[in-house]
Amino acid sequence: EKNLSKKNKCIVIGGGIGGYTAAIRAARLGGQITLVEQAEIGGTCLNWGCIPFKLLLQSASVASTVNKAKEFGIKTGPPEVDYAALISRKNQVVAELRKGVQSLVKAKRIRLVVGSAELFDGNRVEVTSKKNATASVEEIQSDRVIIATGSKSSSIPIPGLDKVKAQNSDDFLNSRTMPSSTIIIGGGVIGVELAQILNGLGGSVTILELQNQVIPGFDKEIADILESELKQQGVTIIKGVLISGAAMSKNKLKKIVTFKIDGKEQTISADEIVVAVGREPVMSGVSPQKLGLDLNNVPMKGIKVNCHMETNLSNVYAVGDVTGEIMLAHVASAQAEVAAYNALRDEAARPKVMDYKSIPSCVYTSPEVAFVGLTEEQTMKKVDVEVGRFPFSASGKARLLGEIGGMVKIIADKKYGEVLGVHIIGSRATDMIAEAVLGMNMEITIDELANTVHPHPTLSEGVMEAALSLSGGAIHIP
Ligand code: NAI
């Protein structure tokens, strides 16, 4: 690599998807890399987040397929959930994936140190490792440091919530039994995915959401469709709530939540309460005050970075949830690519820039939700737009799959035809959004998207038809 700096020693703190991606890229670029992880390699996404949640969602989806089997001419008995088997499958797949990452790290000759790191400056980190009861401290010198310490579930100061031992998403994943009824505080991404899991596996679920839409930040029309689909499946969703307290029932068997809606106080009870009100950066071993490390304010107090993923401290970079920017695994790995390159490049070489222009957001409910770009609410304030829609009820593929809920919605600039936002709710939306991400990266116009030949029969034709509805008219809608 001709642009490589001679200063090639790099320490990465945190072995989540941001950290291990940075370590592998930096090693591929020829660096001598030390990766420090205090818990499990793979971090939140692999161990306690994306992967285990999607595994449980898959089990819920299998149960729902068995429930609908008759519709497809297949006779079965009603599905029976074996929660212990489902959890052990989850643990097994997670362990396999963890082993996979470990072997990738090993293959790149990255030194993996199990322990907790403390950052002193861009050239020095101390790692405390515990073996049996004894702790040892190792000082590691380096040319660059990449901080990738991740995030944790946020809590909310609701009186009584501690006493009733309300769970967060980690606690939920660690429990060996499934509650038969659950109150979920927060109808964001974790809230709706968890509701889908529990409801799909036969539990009863109530979501209490502060705002007037679930998955705030997503296009409201799409979020409202998701809400009605979830309600139809049996999830109770109460929006605009102000939660005031939690307590145990008199017989100590149920957990009770008190909240106000339209000024009226109400209570509901369930076996379990799970809090999913967001996540916040974790800076263990990184003391912003002591180091003089700048933090940002948007949206959480994370480590402030510039577009090269550099912090204000020389030779120190930060990536992933700890930056508090957009807390998504794929953002962390994209930031890690940028940070690793910049950390190892020759100073004369041009740095790579992190581009947030077309970042997809996905929700793995049934139907799935995915979008890239602007929502209709955001564009209404900025430019003159036109909106094309294609309902999956008009798609042959959706009909044969028996998945006719949802639609593709495309927002385009009225004058120039540039695609500004693509929103999909429906089966396999999270895979289909990739086309829109690529298109928007290349500043695609609505005519270009409409004129792109899509395979038949696929759900992806919905993207083309939605584009056609703004470019000469869709074929399969009147
Ligand atoms: P979130 O920010 O998506 O949603 C939190 C929800 O809680 C919001 O709807 C908010 O209005 C609500 N809320 C806040 N305070 C409340 C209160 N006092 N009472 C009732 N509701 C309240 O956060 P979430 O779902 O916890 O997810 C955490 C992070 O993990 C997010 O950054 C998300 O992007 C990421 N994640 C991403 C997934 C995906 O991409 N599929 C899946 C799971 C998590």
Side-chain angles (χ1 to χ4, degrees), residues 72-242:
F72 295 84
I74 308 291
K75 278 190 192 164
T76 63
E80 211 180 299
V81 177
D82 180 348
Y83 200 68
L86 180 157
I87 294 292
S88 76
R89 173 174 190 267
K90 179 211 82 177
N91 292 342
Q92 189 197 328
V93 177
V94 167
E96 282 164 14
L97 290 171
R98 206 161 43 218
K99 251 194 182 157
V101 176
Q102 266 159 359
S103 62
L104 292 172
V105 164
K106 204 170 163 190
K108 287 278 133 318
R109 300 184 198 287
I110 292 163
R111 182 175 169 231
L112 178 61
V113 180
V114 181
S116 49
E118 187 180 350
L119 177 70
F120 286 90
D121 56 46
N123 304 107
R124 187 160 73 98
V125 167
E126 268 184 21
V127 183
T128 308
S129 308
K130 275 192 191 127
K131 245 193 193 149
N132 303 321
T134 50
S136 61
V137 180
E138 182 190 353
E139 186 183 301
I140 307 176
Q141 301 285 343
S142 169
D143 299 311
R144 313 266 187 259
V145 174
I146 299 176
I147 305 170
T149 44
S151 65
K152 63 173 185 190
S153 297
S154 300
S155 49
I156 29 168
I158 292 174
L161 217 45
D162 277 357
K163 273 201 192 124
V164 302
K165 295 202 170 68
Q167 295 187 332
N168 61 26
S169 63
D170 293 353
D171 305 321
F172 168 78
L173 284 175
N174 283 333
S175 51
R176 296 241 126 225
T177 52
M178 192 188 108
S180 59
S181 58
T182 308
I183 296 165
I184 300 172
I185 300 180
V189 229
I190 294 185
V192 294
E193 288 184 355
L194 186 56
Q196 183 82 65
I197 293 169
L198 291 164
N199 182 66
L201 296 176
S204 118
V205 188
T206 303
I207 293 178
L208 298 179
E209 168 56 46
L210 176 74
Q211 309 277 345
N212 71 350
Q213 80 170 60
V214 292
I215 48 170
F218 283 65
D219 189 273
K220 174 131 174 49
E221 182 181 7
I222 300 286
D224 288 348
I225 298 175
L226 177 67
E227 180 184 336
S228 68
E229 291 272 348
L230 288 174
K231 281 181 171 166
Q232 222 169 2
Q233 293 169 33
V235 177
T236 304
I237 298 174
I238 311 175
K239 297 178 297 180
V241 300
L242 270 179

Side-chain angles (χ1 to χ4, degrees), residues 311-355:
T311 69
N312 66 312
L313 303 180
S314 60
N315 300 322
V316 180
Y317 296 74
V319 302
D321 285 6
V322 75
T323 65
E325 295 266 348
I326 307 173
M327 291 192 178
L328 295 173
H330 45 277
V331 172
S333 44
Q335 292 175 329
E337 291 276 1
V338 172
Y341 177 81
N342 291 341
L344 289 211
R345 77 181 207 282
D346 186 275
E347 262 153 44
R350 200 177 330 157
K352 274 195 179 163
V353 169
M354 178 63 205
D355 181 1

Side-chain angles (χ1 to χ4, degrees), residues 68 71-72 397-405:
K68 302 192 291 202
E71 199 186 301
F72 295 84
K397 182 64 181 276
R399 292 236 161 227
L400 73 88
L401 289 173
E403 310 258 1
I404 57 165

